[in-house]
Amino acid sequence: MANNNKLNNQQNILIIGAGLCGSLLALRLGQRGFHVTVYEMRPDLRKTDISAGRSINLAFSNRGNKAMKLVGLEDKVKELCIPMNGRMIHDKEGNTFMSNYSGRDYEYINSISRGELNSLLLTEAEKHENVTIHFNKKCKSVDFENTTALFQDYNTKDEFVEDADCIIATDGAGSALRKSYYLGKKFLFSFSQEYLNHGYKELSILPTETGNYKTYKNALHIWPRSSFMLIALPNLDGSFTVTLFLSYAEGEYNFNNLTTPELVIEFFQKEFPDALAIMPNLVDDFFENPTAALGTVKCSPWHYKGNTLLMGDSAHAIVPFYGQGMNASFEDVVEFDKVLDQNLDSWEAIFETYEKNRKKDTDAIADLAIDNFHEMKGHVANPIFQEKRKIEMALEKEFQNKYSSKYSLVTFNENIGYRQAMLQGRAQDKAILNMLTDKVISSEDNLKDILDKVNAETEAILEDDRIAGLY
Amino acid sequence: MANNNKLNNQQNILIIGAGLCGSLLALRLGQRGFHVTVYEMRPDLRKTDISAGRSINLAFSNRGNKAMKLVGLEDKVKELCIPMNGRMIHDKEGNTFMSNYSGRDYEYINSISRGELNSLLLTEAEKHENVTIHFNKKCKSVDFENTTALFQDYNTKDEFVEDADCIIATDGAGSALRKSYYLGKKFLFSFSQEYLNHGYKELSILPTETGNYKTYKNALHIWPRSSFMLIALPNLDGSFTVTLFLSYAEGEYNFNNLTTPELVIEFFQKEFPDALAIMPNLVDDFFENPTAALGTVKCSPWHYKGNTLLMGDSAHAIVPFYGQGMNASFEDVVEFDKVLDQNLDSWEAIFETYEKNRKKDTDAIADLAIDNFHEMKGHVANPIFQEKRKIEMALEKEFQNKYSSKYSLVTFNENIGYRQAMLQGRAQDKAILNMLTDKVISSEDNLKDILDKVNAETEAILEDDRIAGLY
């Protein structure tokens, strides 16, 4: 917790949004001695039961954990975690099989409650007297030339302006600062929002009457159906949060035409009969819970001079299919902290360095997350993908320090950036799929031979792309 | 000009914008018998001398010409064209060499005046009594639920609302309809605007006192300098329109720091001495003309139900480096016309089919145009790229119907879509660059051997990508 930064003393930092990223950032900047004020539009979630339309549980893995280590919360967070060792695939007949996330036993992801984790971070942040958090204050716009933000109090409706030395917006995919950048037209602001044709709806599998899990606890359950899918993640109370990913308008059943209880039950009976059997509350959940969109947001620049900075989902909202949304936002704070350690002499230099280091990686995880949507939906469809998975698990198990699949590079290798993981992982996938197709390798071969061939072919693919100027 | 469309009679079509795409669309829909009303924000360019900050001349090639054939204007447009057979590269010492666009003599691009071409299209459109064009009427917003548009008269400032059976917005990169889609938030609208770090500024090389060209007429002149470049296209009056592409903020000289006549002349003296020698008007041009941004716009959906449709730059603005901006917009009209020939029974079906057919191709040319920026800037830097070019020219010359480079596929093969041209062309580039690097081929080899190897390797690259699920 050394405090070396030239800018530290007397600097007032205003953080917009006390979600997962904002509360972690407040905690870390508090630890570094900054004067931090946080404004959050929602009520204090430690005092009110709110889900606010956002997912109830999340996948927590190594990159997120690296951030928890940084702020000294690794042990406390571990208590909130339910390990998920792999995907449990459910077919239409209700048969299941387990597909581990890694060939190494110590590599797994965790289901964690958004609310519990956010509460912990808020409480830890508030332990620092130089950190103050205000709730029920919604940011309406940011004057990024003058480093001020306009807020409205939820209860009184009064509006007020807050001033700071710099403003960091961790206010999520609908960021007020990003909107001010876009509408301000004061500089060239590259921006994209891309929606999938699919939306999602949260459902639930409640605990048994004795509070136990109705299906296997330590897995991420998937019912892949090629053009849509259902997933379920365990909660500490014995329930599972279930999410249906389905097209709005395409296919025989879709969100637009599932308009009656009969149709919903018919759909689940046909596609997910084993899930339906443990979801007596399906119809109520389906019609009470909103259908939400799946969007990716990218933009640049993230900062305006040394005045304002976007961080977390406000800078890079991604779809949930790699389980990396929260992990990426937590990693933002780790990367920002690294830049603070460089002792640069202005916020502008800090923000610029941070974006330069970081954006390539958040762009990569956005693209990987969309890829994984297609992979997850079609998980059982392609036998050659299955054989690839089998080989990679064997390689990971046999060569503990020499091979990691794309999934492992992204999820369990927190010291490799997302972009590097993407390039290496995609080249490996391409190498294995092509060598399987061309019968250069087979899952029956000697593992050391397979490893050598995969490594050589992966390097050849990367080299060919480099020569063609593709990176 | 058969009029088979079920929707044709009684249908009133409102077109927003009478630029190149809007005036061509009005002409074509007029030929098909629709009742067409066009509103244009600027004055009639046939009566006023306006450049409106847009480029004065443009590259016109096969895809654009296909549209001119469709409306019967091929011969009239040819009179406006100056053929450019290749790029004339200028090095720092003023040495030049010509790099033809194709190994086939009949494949070349043309320099054409935006104003002259637009005037011709307006005049031809107005020959149809079912086509009416109003000038000085700026569209402020579109009510896409009710198929009405709000306009303001430039002179009187009066606002008025126009109704139609459908509205097609050909109102360019800053489209009012696209803005209404984005701000309306009535449906999921995927949208991106991406800016390059470079901007551009138009300059000029004036004719000699006797009205002749000061440098070689039938070429697109390029002064490539790796991180920036200057280009020049000929005009019919003996002048050239010159464009400087330069970073706003990076490098020793940039748009932000070229603030005095001395600096501008110093920069040109150092980097473009032969150009400077024929640009006595440089300083005036430089400080009188605006610096403009280079942006790419993509979005989806282009249409709202059967009410409204984006076409041309409003749907897909691209950077100018492939010389395809106008050609792509003209091809939009050709593709739209093809869909009209299908006799679909609603505007919604027409718009949906058009977007489904077309968007993959406009996405591709947007990406190709950005690639070409990097290729043009660095044209002389990489010897292996030069050798590739030499081989491709030889292949095109020797095998008239069997080989086309990526540039030729994009520019001269109007019956291949941009996306197909991109996939094939990129695979060819990768094949040749890698085989040259690995010394599998050399420009000294027998051409038939080279062709066979290039074709085989290209097909292998495409197949590897297909197996890896990359398309």
Side-chain angles (χ1 to χ4, degrees):
Chain A
M1 308 299 161
N3 177 342
N4 299 316
N5 196 283
K6 293 179 197 169
L7 291 166
N8 251 357
N9 305 321
Q10 300 117 4
Q11 287 288 306
N12 292 303
I13 302 179
L14 194 163
I15 296 176
I16 304 171
L20 290 167
C21 185
S23 54
L24 174 64
L25 179 67
L27 168 57
R28 184 59 192 155
L29 294 180
Q31 290 175 338
R32 292 186 76 108
F34 289 101
H35 297 281
V36 179
T37 311
V38 187
Y39 288 88
E40 163 60 40
M41 64 183 274
R42 297 192 176 81
D44 187 343
L45 53 71
R46 294 165 297 181
K47 298 173 186 164
T48 327
D49 181 29
I50 46 162
S51 71
R54 297 178 305 175
S55 55
I56 295 163
N57 55 19
L58 298 162
F60 175 79
S61 53
N62 293 39
R63 293 175 198 272
N65 197 48
K66 188 177 180 182
M68 295 305 101
K69 284 182 194 167
L70 176 70
V71 295
L73 289 180
E74 188 182 14
D75 293 340
K76 285 188 183 172
V77 170
K78 193 158 193 169
E79 292 170 21
L80 304 175
C81 285
I82 302 175
M84 298 185 289
N85 297 103
R87 297 169 175 168
M88 181 161 280
I89 317 281
H90 297 245
D91 73 13
K92 276 194 177 191
E93 284 70 45
N95 302 312
T96 60
F97 73 94
M98 186 78 174
S99 170
N100 277 5
Y101 282 117
S102 165
R104 293 178 275 268
D105 293 342
Y106 56 87
E107 291 181 339
Y108 54 83
I109 65 173
N110 301 278
S111 179
I112 195 166
S113 154
R114 177 195 287 272
E116 293 290 334
L117 181 55
N118 207 338
S119 296
L120 172 66
L121 292 170
L122 289 170
T123 299
E124 295 293 325
E126 282 185 333
K127 287 180 181 171
H128 295 265
E129 62 181 17
N130 49 327
V131 175
T132 314
I133 307 176
H134 303 278
F135 295 92
N136 293 310
K137 311 280 187 284
K138 181 186 170 80
C139 182
K140 304 201 72 172
S141 64
V142 178
D143 180 341
F144 48 83
E145 291 281 9
N146 294 306
T147 324
T148 61
L150 174 68
F151 293 93
Q152 184 177 42
D153 186 289
Y154 180 79
N155 297 312
T156 66
K157 308 296 173 202
D158 289 345
E159 296 193 349
F160 58 96
V161 170
E162 288 292 311
D163 202 343
D165 293 306
C166 75
I167 297 175
I168 303 181
T170 51
D171 52 347
S175 172
L177 175 59
R178 203 184 64 235
K179 195 173 160 193
S180 293
Y181 281 175
Y182 179 78
L183 295 176
K185 296 188 189 294
K186 297 280 182 66
F187 56 94
L188 295 179
F189 185 55
S190 293
F191 166 67
S192 73
Q193 60 182 31
E194 300 283 340
Y195 294 99
L196 298 181
N197 293 327
H198 287 60
Y200 73 93
K201 188 185 282 285
E202 290 199 346
L203 307 165
S204 59
I205 296 171
L206 299 178
T208 64
E209 282 180 17
T210 54
N212 286 325
Y213 293 90
K214 282 188 184 161
T215 183
Y216 181 65
K217 175 184 177 185
N218 291 111
L220 190 154
H221 294 264
I222 309 188
W223 291 257
R225 295 296 179 267
S226 179
S227 58
F228 52 90
M229 69 173 170
L230 193 71
I231 69 168
L233 278 75
N235 297 311
L236 287 172
D237 68 359
S239 69
F240 289 83
T241 302
V242 179
T243 311
L244 173 64
F245 296 97
L246 181 67
S247 176
Y248 282 100
E250 289 152 19
E252 185 183 354
Y253 299 94
N254 58 51
F255 277 124
N256 290 350
N257 70 20
L258 286 177
T259 52
T260 67
E262 293 71 26
L263 281 167
V264 171
I265 288 174
E266 176 185 302
F267 174 51
F268 271 68
Q269 186 61 55
K270 188 172 166 190
E271 299 290 347
F272 316 116
D274 61 330
L276 178 63
I278 52 176
M279 294 173 75
N281 48 316
L282 169 64
V283 166
D284 287 349
D285 282 351
F286 196 93
F287 290 101
E288 274 168 23
N289 293 345
T291 305
L294 292 162
T296 300
V297 171
K298 294 177 184 172
C299 63
S300 178
W302 290 344
H303 69 101
Y304 181 73
K305 298 181 179 169
N307 300 357
T308 55
L309 176 70
L310 298 165
M311 195 183 283
D313 281 4
S314 70
H316 50 74
I318 65 178
V319 294
F321 304 105
Y322 232 111
Q324 287 293 321
M326 168 180 62
N327 292 289
S329 290
F330 280 2
E331 196 175 62
D332 280 1
V333 178
V334 174
E335 292 298 312
F336 189 70
D337 191 71
K338 268 191 208 164
V339 178
L340 290 178
D341 283 343
Q342 291 179 32
N343 257 343
L344 300 171
D345 59 7
S346 70
W347 286 116
E348 182 161 19
I350 291 167
F351 293 172
E352 197 172 303
T353 304
Y354 166 69
E355 180 172 352
K356 196 170 156 57
N357 293 347
R358 184 66 178 149
K359 184 168 161 57
K360 65 181 188 315
D361 288 319
T362 58
D363 282 352
I365 191 60
D367 295 346
L368 283 164
I370 290 170
D371 290 353
N372 223 37
F373 174 49
H374 302 293
E375 192 174 325
M376 284 174 82
K377 276 188 296 135
H379 200 275
V380 292
N382 191 332
I384 217 129
F385 272 85
Q386 295 281 352
E387 199 173 353
K388 174 176 85 71
R389 195 75 201 131
K390 187 174 163 191
I391 285 174
E392 290 194 286
M393 296 294 285
L395 291 176
E396 288 187 333
K397 190 171 180 180
E398 183 77 12
F399 306 104
Q400 298 268 322
N401 303 312
K402 287 191 181 160
Y403 191 81
S404 291
S405 70
K406 183 174 74 181
Y407 187 88
S408 291
L409 289 167
V410 171
T411 307
F412 306 121
N413 284 263
E414 68 271 23
N415 296 319
I416 296 172
Y418 284 124
R419 180 173 161 81
Q420 183 54 35
M422 178 180 75
L423 296 177
Q424 174 75 21
R426 283 182 174 174
Q428 286 174 183
D429 284 355
K430 188 173 178 178
I432 298 174
L433 290 169
N434 274 287
M435 289 196 295
L436 282 172
T437 303
D438 299 342
K439 305 202 187 303
V440 175
I441 56 170
S442 112
S443 55
E444 311 300 311
D445 294 352
N446 173 286
L447 279 173
K448 182 67 173 66
D449 289 348
I450 294 179
L451 180 67
D452 290 344
K453 285 178 182 168
V454 169
N455 283 343
E457 183 65 15
T458 299
E459 189 40 52
I461 287 168
L462 290 169
E463 180 62 14
D464 283 0
D465 284 351
R466 272 191 290 268
I467 287 169
L470 295 181
Y471 309 137
Chain B
M1 309 299 162
N3 177 341
N4 299 315
N5 197 282
K6 293 177 194 168
L7 291 167
N8 251 358
N9 304 320
Q10 299 117 5
Q11 288 288 306
N12 292 304
I13 302 178
L14 193 162
I15 296 175
I16 304 171
L20 291 167
C21 185
S23 54
L24 174 63
L25 179 68
L27 168 57
R28 183 58 193 155
L29 295 180
Q31 289 175 339
R32 293 186 76 108
F34 290 100
H35 296 282
V36 179
T37 311
V38 186
Y39 288 89
E40 164 60 40
M41 63 183 275
R42 297 192 177 82
D44 187 342
L45 51 71
R46 294 164 297 182
K47 299 173 185 163
T48 328
D49 182 30
I50 47 163
S51 72
R54 296 177 306 174
S55 54
I56 295 164
N57 56 19
L58 298 162
F60 176 80
S61 53
N62 293 38
R63 293 174 198 272
N65 197 47
K66 188 176 182 183
M68 295 304 101
K69 285 183 193 167
L70 177 71
V71 295
L73 290 180
E74 188 182 15
D75 292 340
K76 286 190 182 171
V77 170
K78 194 159 192 169
E79 291 170 21
L80 305 175
C81 285
I82 302 174
M84 299 185 288
N85 296 301
R87 299 168 175 169
M88 181 161 280
I89 316 282
H90 297 245
D91 74 13
K92 278 193 177 190
E93 285 71 45
N95 303 312
T96 61
F97 73 95
M98 185 78 173
S99 169
N100 278 3
Y101 282 117
S102 165
R104 292 178 275 268
D105 291 344
Y106 55 87
E107 291 181 339
Y108 53 85
I109 64 175
N110 301 278
S111 179
I112 194 166
S113 154
R114 176 195 289 273
E116 294 290 334
L117 181 55
N118 207 338
S119 295
L120 172 65
L121 292 169
L122 289 171
T123 298
E124 294 293 326
E126 281 184 332
K127 287 181 181 170
H128 295 266
E129 61 181 15
N130 48 329
V131 175
T132 313
I133 307 176
H134 303 278
F135 295 93
N136 293 310
K137 310 281 187 279
K138 181 188 170 77
C139 181
K140 303 201 72 172
S141 63
V142 178
D143 180 342
F144 48 83
E145 290 281 11
N146 294 305
T147 324
T148 62
L150 173 68
F151 293 94
Q152 184 177 43
D153 187 288
Y154 179 79
N155 296 311
T156 66
K157 308 296 175 202
D158 290 344
E159 296 194 347
F160 57 96
V161 170
E162 287 293 313
D163 201 344
D165 293 307
C166 75
I167 298 176
I168 303 180
T170 51
D171 52 348
S175 173
L177 174 59
R178 202 184 64 235
K179 194 172 159 192
S180 293
Y181 282 174
Y182 179 78
L183 295 176
K185 295 186 189 295
K186 297 280 181 66
F187 55 93
L188 296 179
F189 185 56
S190 293
F191 166 67
S192 74
Q193 60 181 31
E194 300 282 340
Y195 294 99
L196 297 182
N197 293 327
H198 287 60
Y200 72 96
K201 189 187 281 286
E202 289 199 346
L203 307 164
S204 60
I205 296 170
L206 299 178
T208 63
E209 282 179 17
T210 56
N212 286 324
Y213 293 90
K214 282 188 185 162
T215 183
Y216 182 64
K217 175 185 177 185
N218 292 111
L220 190 154
H221 295 263
I222 310 187
W223 292 257
R225 296 296 179 265
S226 173
S227 57
F228 51 89
M229 69 174 169
L230 193 72
I231 70 168
L233 278 76
N235 298 310
L236 287 171
D237 67 359
S239 69
F240 289 83
T241 302
V242 179
T243 311
L244 172 64
F245 297 96
L246 181 66
S247 176
Y248 282 100
E250 289 152 19
E252 186 183 353
Y253 299 94
N254 58 53
F255 277 124
N256 290 350
N257 70 20
L258 285 177
T259 51
T260 67
E262 293 71 27
L263 280 168
V264 171
I265 288 174
E266 176 185 302
F267 174 51
F268 271 69
Q269 186 61 55
K270 187 172 166 190
E271 299 290 347
F272 317 116
D274 60 331
L276 178 63
I278 52 177
M279 296 173 74
N281 47 316
L282 168 65
V283 167
D284 287 349
D285 282 350
F286 195 94
F287 291 101
E288 274 168 23
N289 293 344
T291 305
L294 293 161
T296 299
V297 172
K298 295 178 182 171
C299 63
S300 180
W302 288 345
H303 69 101
Y304 182 74
K305 298 181 181 169
N307 300 358
T308 54
L309 175 71
L310 298 165
M311 196 182 284
D313 281 3
S314 70
H316 50 76
I318 65 179
V319 294
F321 305 104
Y322 232 110
Q324 287 293 320
M326 169 181 60
N327 292 289
S329 290
F330 280 2
E331 195 176 61
D332 280 2
V333 177
V334 174
E335 292 298 313
F336 189 70
D337 191 70
K338 268 191 206 165
V339 178
L340 291 177
D341 284 342
Q342 291 179 30
N343 257 342
L344 300 172
D345 59 8
S346 70
W347 286 115
E348 182 161 18
I350 291 167
F351 293 172
E352 197 171 301
T353 304
Y354 166 69
E355 180 173 350
K356 195 170 155 57
N357 294 348
R358 184 66 179 149
K359 184 169 162 57
K360 65 182 188 314
D361 289 319
T362 58
D363 282 353
I365 191 58
D367 295 345
L368 283 165
I370 291 169
D371 290 354
N372 223 38
F373 174 49
H374 302 294
E375 193 173 324
M376 284 173 82
K377 277 188 297 135
H379 199 276
V380 294
N382 191 334
I384 217 129
F385 272 84
Q386 296 282 351
E387 198 173 354
K388 173 176 86 70
R389 194 77 200 131
K390 188 174 164 190
I391 285 175
E392 290 195 287
M393 297 293 287
L395 291 175
E396 288 187 334
K397 190 171 181 180
E398 182 78 12
F399 306 105
Q400 298 269 321
N401 303 312
K402 287 191 180 161
Y403 190 81
S404 290
S405 70
K406 183 174 75 181
Y407 188 88
S408 291
L409 289 166
V410 170
T411 307
F412 306 121
N413 284 263
E414 67 272 24
N415 296 320
I416 296 172
Y418 285 125
R419 180 173 159 81
Q420 184 54 34
M422 178 179 76
L423 295 178
Q424 175 75 20
R426 283 182 174 173
Q428 286 173 185
D429 284 354
K430 187 173 178 177
I432 298 173
L433 290 169
N434 273 287
M435 289 196 296
L436 282 172
T437 304
D438 298 343
K439 305 200 186 305
V440 175
I441 57 172
S442 113
S443 54
E444 311 301 310
D445 294 353
N446 172 287
L447 277 174
K448 182 68 172 68
D449 289 347
I450 294 179
L451 180 68
D452 291 344
K453 284 178 183 169
V454 170
N455 284 342
E457 183 65 14
T458 299
E459 190 39 54
I461 287 168
L462 290 168
E463 180 63 13
D464 283 359
D465 284 351
R466 274 191 289 267
I467 288 169
L470 294 182
Y471 310 137

